[in-house]
């Protein structure tokens, strides 16, 4: 068996605004600890039996964020498949299954562990036990989903009603030890799926909790790649056909796999649940009690965060006075609250959110309003990450803009020119190799240079440490689209 994690890394960046943005959604943010949620997802794979490098499904705009965050961990992906458009989970997993089967060693059958990049799982050992408990059913051709043991009557999740008990096991000490192949019947219980049910109202959710045979639908799965494609062909052959066409013309680009865009755009939009799991007779569920959350709102993040004796959770520079049951998060500025309760207060580099805990689901309406107004805060933070590093737009006025630029060691920007702006560069840390109209100059700290309008130029960090410089742009138009690239290490010409 070859266990291949499939990490789905999509997202619109709307539910956790202002921290999460369309071009920097929550899976790329360190919301729970110092690592990002994507990095946490990858890290919790360590120790699983026969686990290989992950296949990450991401969209075009996030490709360098995925690659950079894996690089920071010293990890690599089996593949990073770029979707030209989002088509939900059923096509995304089909792409991963086709990729796995195409590269499979005939002696090792690929098994897919489908995970979301933005879930929290606090008890990793319990997660490992549940995955290994699901292996016997998986190897027998079943399609496993993981049902979260509910802790309260949640109305924001779909539920799974379990049927008959298929494997009756008890947990045993050391079952998650990976030094030997796990005993396929030594860990927990597997059930048939009686019914998938939609998000309930509160009264119905309370009934589900009292009944004891309903679990939250986690959206995590385990199945053989070939079995998933068999069931997809049976129930949604149109999805499989579109994915096969899209994978037929792959365009490798650095560490990424680009699909045939026209073929994938023609693919229907559907989830694994609707396309396969609710239709197949081979769906089974393994219970998971591991401190799971999909972090679907600021209030759910508050629920899994450490709280003081008054029910408050704080991050960053925060001062509370007569405040209860609130979540307050600061990135740079001091936040002080006086005489408030049940609030969410979140500060980012360019926006502040204040919301009642009971209405944080409506943050999406704020994002929709920003989008309708054409505001940049819906897509980007003030600090923007690029494959070569990052820039922070620290000031802007009429006909000028000031940025702080960081270039990673060995990285370089594209060979480019601008038609409407000139640039001044002042090095404040590290060493810069600057090319202007074919001439190169080496700049060190406190040295500067000038790039006239229309000059063909490039910036490179030849050193072993981060390069930091201040860029002052001046001109009649300062948009990011005022650029013509001639050469680019990252394929953006």
């Amino acid at each position: 068996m070859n266990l291949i994690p499939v990490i789905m890394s999509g997202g619109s960046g709307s539910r956790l605004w202002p921290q999460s943005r369309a071009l920097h959604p929550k899976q790329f943010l360190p919301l729970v600890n110092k690592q990002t949620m994507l990095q946490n997802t990858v890290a919790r794979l360590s120790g699983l039996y026969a686990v290989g490098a992950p296949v990450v499904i991401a969209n075009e705009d996030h490709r360098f964020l995925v690659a950079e965050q894996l690089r920071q961990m010293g990890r690599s992906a089996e593949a990073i498949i770029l979707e030209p458009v989002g088509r939900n989970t059923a096509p995304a997993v089909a792409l991963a299954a086709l990729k796995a089967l195409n590269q499979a060693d005939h002696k090792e059958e690929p098994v897919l562990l489908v995970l979301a990049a933005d879930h929290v799982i606090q008890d990793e050992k319990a997660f490992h036990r549940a995955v290994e408990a699901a292996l016997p059913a998986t190897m027998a051709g079943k399609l496993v989903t993981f049902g979260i043991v509910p802790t309260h009557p949640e109305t924001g999740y779909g539920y799974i009603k379990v049927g008959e008990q298929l494997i009756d096991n008890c947990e045993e000490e050391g079952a998650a030890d990976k030094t030997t192949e796990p005993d396929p019947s030594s860990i927990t219980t597997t059930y048939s799926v009686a019914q998938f049910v939609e998000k309930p109202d509160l009264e119905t959710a309370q009934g589900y909790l009292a009944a004891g045979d309903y679990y939250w639908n986690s959206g995590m799965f385990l199945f053989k790649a070939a079995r998933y494609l068999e069931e997809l062909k049976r129930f949604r052959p149109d999805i499989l056909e579109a994915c096969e066409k899209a994978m037929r013309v792959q365009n490798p680009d650095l560490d990424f796999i680009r699909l045939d865009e026209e073929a994938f755009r023609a693919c229907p939009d559907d989830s694994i649940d609707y396309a396969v799991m609710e239709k197949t007779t081979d769906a089974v569920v393994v219970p998971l009690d591991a401190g799971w959350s999909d972090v679907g709102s600021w209030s759910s993040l508050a629920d899994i965060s450490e709280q003081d004796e008054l029910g408050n959770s704080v991050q960053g520079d925060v001062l509370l006075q007569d405040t209860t049951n609130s979540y307050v998060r600061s990135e740079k500025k001091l936040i002080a609250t006086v005489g408030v309760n049940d609030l969410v207060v979140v500060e980012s580099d360019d926006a502040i959110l204040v919301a009642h805990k009971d209405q944080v689901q409506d943050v999406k309406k704020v994002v929709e309003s920003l989008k309708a107004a054409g505001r940049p805060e819906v897509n980007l933070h003030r600090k923007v990450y690029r494959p070569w590093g990052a820039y922070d737009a620290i000031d802007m006025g009429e006909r000028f803009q000031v940025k702080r630029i960081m270039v990673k060691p060995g990285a370089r920007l594209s060979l480019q020119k601008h038609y409407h702006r000139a640039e001044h560069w002042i090095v404040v840390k590290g060493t810069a190799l600057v090319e202007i109209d074919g001439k190169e100059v080496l700049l060190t700290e406190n040295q500067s240079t000038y790039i006239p309008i229309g000059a063909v130029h490039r910036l490179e960090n030849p050193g072993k440490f981060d390069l930091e410089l201040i860029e002052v742009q001046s001109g009649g138009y300062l948009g990011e689209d005022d650029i013509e690239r001639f050469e680019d290490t990252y394929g953006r010409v």
Side-chain angles (χ1 to χ4, degrees), residues 37 118-121 148 157 291-296 300-301 304:
M37 300 185 79
D118 56 1
H119 288 179
V120 169
I121 294 178
I148 305 301
Y157 300 146
W292 173 91
S293 173
D294 74 344
V295 195
S300 63
L301 183 60
I304 63 172

Side-chain angles (χ1 to χ4, degrees), residues 5-142:
V6 178
I7 300 176
M8 295 181 290
S9 183
S12 61
S14 60
R15 293 190 293 177
L16 290 179
W17 186 90
Q19 249 67 15
S20 180
R21 308 287 172 97
L23 296 180
H24 204 95
K26 62 178 178 177
Q27 64 265 31
F28 303 116
L29 299 172
L31 293 176
V32 180
N33 52 37
K34 292 182 179 180
Q35 287 190 311
T36 69
M37 300 185 79
L38 171 63
Q39 290 172 330
N40 286 334
T41 301
V42 174
R44 76 172 63 102
L45 298 170
S46 296
L48 281 171
Y49 173 74
V51 70
V55 173
V56 182
I57 313 292
N59 69 40
E60 176 80 16
D61 292 329
H62 302 156
R63 64 194 188 280
F64 293 118
L65 283 171
V66 172
E68 173 61 15
Q69 293 199 355
L70 290 176
R71 185 198 67 81
Q72 290 173 358
M73 301 178 70
R75 305 285 283 268
S76 60
E78 177 68 29
I80 301 174
I81 301 176
L82 303 180
E83 293 181 309
V85 291
R87 286 294 181 263
N88 216 317
T89 54
V93 177
L95 297 174
L98 290 167
K99 177 66 176 175
L101 287 170
N102 184 52
Q103 291 190 317
D105 183 332
H106 295 299
K107 297 179 182 178
E108 296 182 345
E109 187 164 20
V111 173
L112 306 185
L113 174 61
V114 180
L115 305 170
D118 56 1
H119 288 179
V120 169
I121 294 178
Q122 296 174 320
D123 187 344
E124 292 187 0
K125 290 184 178 179
F127 168 68
H128 290 177
R129 289 195 295 268
V131 172
E132 292 178 357
L135 289 175
T138 302
M139 300 312 292
K142 301 295 184 181

Side-chain angles (χ1 to χ4, degrees), residues 169-197:
N169 303 315
C170 60
E171 296 184 4
E172 66 177 30
E173 192 70 26
D177 182 7
K178 314 308 174 304
T179 57
T180 60
E181 184 171 352
D183 179 350
S185 61
S186 65
I187 305 172
T188 190
T189 305
T190 303
Y191 299 92
S192 64
V193 173
Q195 184 184 9
F196 287 88
V197 293

Side-chain angles (χ1 to χ4, degrees), residues 320-339:
L320 304 181
Q321 182 70 36
D322 295 331
T323 297
T324 60
N325 195 35
S326 294
Y327 180 86
V328 187
R329 185 184 190 100
S330 166
E331 282 198 354
K332 294 184 178 179
K333 300 179 180 68
L334 167 65
I335 297 178
T337 64
V338 181

